[in-house]
Amino acid sequence: MVKEKEHSTPKGKKPLIVMKFGGTSVGNADRMQSVGEIIAEQSRNAEIVAVLSAMGGVTDMLIRAAREASRGDRKYWKGVRQELARRHREVADRLLSAAEQAIVLPRLAEQVGNLENLCSGFSLVREVTPRAMDTLSSLGEVMSATLMASILRSAGVAAEAVDAAELIVTDESFGNASPHFEETHAKTRQRLAPLRRQGTIPVVTGFRGATADGVCTTLGRGGSDYSATIIGAALDADEVWIWTDVDGVMSADPRLVPGARIIPEISYREAIELSFFGAKVLHPKTIHPVMKKKIPVWIKNSFNPACPGTKIAPVAKNEQPGVKAITSISDADLITMSGKDTLSFPRLATRVFNGLHLEDVTTLMVTQSSADNVLCFAIRDADLPRVKARLEKTFELEMLHEYVGILDVMPKIAIVVAIGENMKGTPGIAGRAFGALGRRGINIIAIAQGSSELSISFAVKSADVKDAVKAIHEEFQL
Ligand code: ASP
Ligand code: MG
């Protein structure tokens, strides 16, 4: 077993913790106040770097404002401008000292002004480029971080808002940018060093980064989790805490399984698997930056700070063997293609996956059967039109001459995924899972498990998803 790095800090030195607060955690003045209290309290025993999302709902509103503006509608974004000003103003009125208000209100007004300039530009040119969208959609983070730093100062805690565009250097994939880690590490350390020396808490905007030329980018929806681990890795933090609105990572979606429970500890690989397959608690890329440095990540509830939450560690403590958690994606389609006896499986697969790659589509599961060279894969329903069009074009001639089978789409599919690192080498797990589904009369349409044995995926009808998740949850007594 890999030995876990001990994050013991020298005596007298406080551990460094990067704490990220999500949109619901900073959704209104009361929530902002609680977060201010959490940061102040935690800063007694630890050195804190805070990372903030926009106030809940703000990012959606900004994106919609840009879209409507680019259609020439000037009314919608004007409403958003008012709502944005009102929500942030309300927090400032309630939680800031008069002196802080004098500093912060003009800064908030400046951001609202940015919205106005951008949207009025979009409505003039009837277009919004991905690049301009990033500048606009991440304004909410600038506003929330500005407010939180000021809330802390109003309570006598030294804090300063920092724009992550000054820390995180990314490529130019606007809307879903990837960090350049080396540059990011250097910039982050350099920019935050003076604050850290003075004991000032940096309050950093989540979601945002910038290209090497300083053009604002974003890390994808829900990307503030990712911001937190990028910054944690850059600073060699002792831990990263993701504060959200649930008590931790759950053994299943509680809306599907009322008896689902909090898992005290999971491994990095289990967390990655869970977030890839639809568990909403973490942005799928969150774990990558901290893997090499083995920095633990905690999921904690800002509405219930006393609850310890879930620890995501390099290697989870071994408890019972077998399944640890179940997740599902219920808006999937299964696509089947046959190379018949003309197109070998590798040739068929190469061309299909090249097409998916060109469309930037992620597959959820893939299977092969050799008779007739049949390839079957699952994708999200939202990707179906693009995938169909692409494959029909790719195989236009072959389909015409019936060298390949038609593209068969089975809609309304759910992918149920049982996850657990300890499934590896434990015989009988799949048998038990299949048995549990069989006894409830649930038909399994496709199955996939990789040799890492980290997860087993089953495709079932969407209508069966709830029963299937429940059945497996019960079978493994999660
Ligand atoms: N505010 C951004 C979003 O809603 C980023 C985040 O909250 O993580 O996607
Ligand atoms: Mg989130």
Side-chain angles (χ1 to χ4, degrees):
M1 206 167 76
V2 186
K3 196 165 175 293
E4 191 172 326
K5 177 177 149 194
E6 287 296 331
H7 279 275
S8 56
T9 11
K11 263 219 179 92
K13 195 169 170 287
K14 289 177 175 180
L16 171 62
I17 307 181
V18 175
M19 292 193 182
K20 175 258 174 177
F21 296 88
T24 46
S25 295
V26 294
N28 57 37
D30 287 339
R31 299 306 314 147
M32 284 252 188
Q33 186 171 20
S34 307
V35 167
E37 284 161 9
I38 291 175
I39 295 175
E41 152 124 23
Q42 294 294 336
S43 69
R44 279 192 233 128
N45 305 315
E47 185 193 342
I48 308 288
V49 172
V51 175
L52 257 72
S53 286
M55 294 178 78
V58 164
T59 313
D60 286 334
M61 225 160 67
L62 292 170
I63 291 173
R64 172 119 192 253
R67 296 242 160 87
E68 299 296 332
S70 70
R71 287 190 196 113
D73 178 321
R74 301 181 65 88
K75 247 213 212 118
Y76 187 82
W77 67 260
K78 288 188 175 162
V80 169
R81 178 186 62 188
Q82 264 175 5
E83 179 65 8
L84 201 67
R86 187 193 62 74
R87 280 184 69 184
H88 293 86
R89 175 78 202 224
E90 191 179 302
V91 179
D93 284 347
R94 280 214 19 220
L95 303 179
L96 303 191
S97 65
E100 280 298 329
Q101 286 194 11
I103 302 171
V104 160
L105 289 179
R107 288 195 199 154
L108 295 178
E110 191 188 322
Q111 298 311 324
V112 174
N114 283 341
L115 166 101
E116 180 159 2
N117 291 337
L118 285 163
C119 285
S120 98
F122 302 156
S123 59
L124 272 177
V125 295
R126 300 276 175 118
E127 186 193 9
V128 48
T129 60
R131 172 178 169 140
M133 180 64 109
D134 278 1
T135 303
L136 180 79
S137 67
S138 62
L139 283 185
E141 271 73 11
V142 178
M143 296 180 82
S144 65
T146 304
L147 269 174
M148 184 52 66
S150 181
I151 290 168
L152 289 167
R153 289 193 299 267
S154 296
V157 179
E160 188 177 308
V162 176
D163 186 346
E166 294 179 60
L167 312 180
I168 299 179
V169 185
T170 72
D171 61 13
E172 300 193 352
S173 304
F174 295 99
N176 193 21
S178 298
H180 294 314
F181 284 101
E182 259 174 51
E183 290 94 319
T184 298
H185 287 194
K187 267 191 121 171
T188 302
R189 282 166 176 266
Q190 202 178 19
R191 171 68 176 86
L192 299 187
L195 296 179
R196 296 180 60 197
R197 263 198 307 274
Q198 296 155 20
T200 300
I201 298 177
V203 182
V204 183
T205 58
F207 194 39
R208 278 162 75 90
T211 65
D213 299 337
V215 181
C216 178
T217 54
T218 63
L219 304 173
R221 292 308 307 273
S224 300
D225 298 340
Y226 194 27
S227 310
T229 52
I230 293 169
I231 292 167
L235 297 176
D236 259 324
D238 292 277
E239 297 189 344
V240 175
W241 292 10
I242 309 277
W243 290 92
T244 175
D245 55 4
V246 290
D247 280 337
V249 177
M250 303 204 71
S251 55
D253 183 340
R255 283 165 305 182
L256 299 179
V257 183
R261 60 165 192 93
I262 302 296
I263 310 173
E265 190 167 328
I266 63 172
S267 71
Y268 282 166
R269 297 201 317 152
E270 289 167 339
I272 291 169
E273 211 68 7
L274 268 171
S275 52
F276 178 82
F277 286 112
K280 291 270 152 39
V281 64
L282 267 188
H283 183 279
K285 291 186 196 159
T286 310
I287 299 300
H288 293 124
V290 294
M291 280 183 108
K292 242 208 235 133
K293 295 189 167 168
K294 302 202 162 104
I295 302 170
V297 177
W298 286 82
I299 308 292
K300 287 179 178 278
N301 190 352
S302 74
F303 293 74
N304 182 17
C307 177
T310 295
K311 181 181 186 183
I312 307 175
V315 188
K317 297 245 160 55
N318 280 9
E319 325 90 55
Q320 91 225 54
V323 177
K324 194 134 173 206
I326 302 154
T327 181
S328 57
I329 294 179
S330 44
D331 54 352
D333 301 305
L334 264 184
I335 298 188
T336 305
M337 276 196 87
S338 160
K340 297 197 170 170
D341 45 16
T342 19
L343 218 52
S344 72
F345 187 84
R347 277 193 68 196
L348 174 73
T350 304
R351 291 176 60 190
V352 168
F353 288 120
N354 189 45
L356 297 180
H357 164 68
L358 293 173
E359 292 296 333
D360 200 16
V361 164
T362 309
T363 50
L364 304 170
M365 82 189 278
V366 179
T367 70
Q368 160 184 10
S369 50
S370 53
D372 258 359
N373 298 316
V374 173
L375 168 67
C376 166
F377 59 94
I379 53 166
R380 286 181 195 273
D381 190 48
D383 293 330
L384 182 64
R386 278 187 302 143
V387 169
K388 254 189 102 179
R390 167 66 67 174
L391 294 182
E392 276 165 2
K393 197 163 152 230
T394 305
F395 293 101
E396 198 177 355
L397 263 182
E398 287 87 345
M399 284 185 187
L400 193 69
H401 297 296
E402 296 185 8
Y403 290 165
V404 300
I406 44 140
L407 198 107
D408 182 47
V409 179
M410 196 183 274
K412 298 203 168 58
I413 293 294
I415 311 294
V416 176
V417 189
I419 291 163
E421 233 168 345
N422 291 340
M423 297 196 299
K424 193 167 177 82
T426 311
I429 303 247
R432 278 174 68 191
F434 296 155
L437 297 181
R439 281 192 297 283
R440 282 171 183 76
I442 299 168
N443 182 40
I444 302 173
I445 303 166
I447 305 165
Q449 180 194 286
S451 64
S452 70
E453 300 180 54
L454 185 56
S455 64
I456 308 178
S457 312
F458 322 94
V460 298
K461 283 215 188 77
S462 282
D464 288 337
V465 65
K466 190 167 178 176
D467 287 341
V469 172
K470 244 163 104 181
I472 297 175
H473 200 268
E474 262 167 40
E475 175 65 33
F476 291 94
Q477 293 172 351
L478 302 182

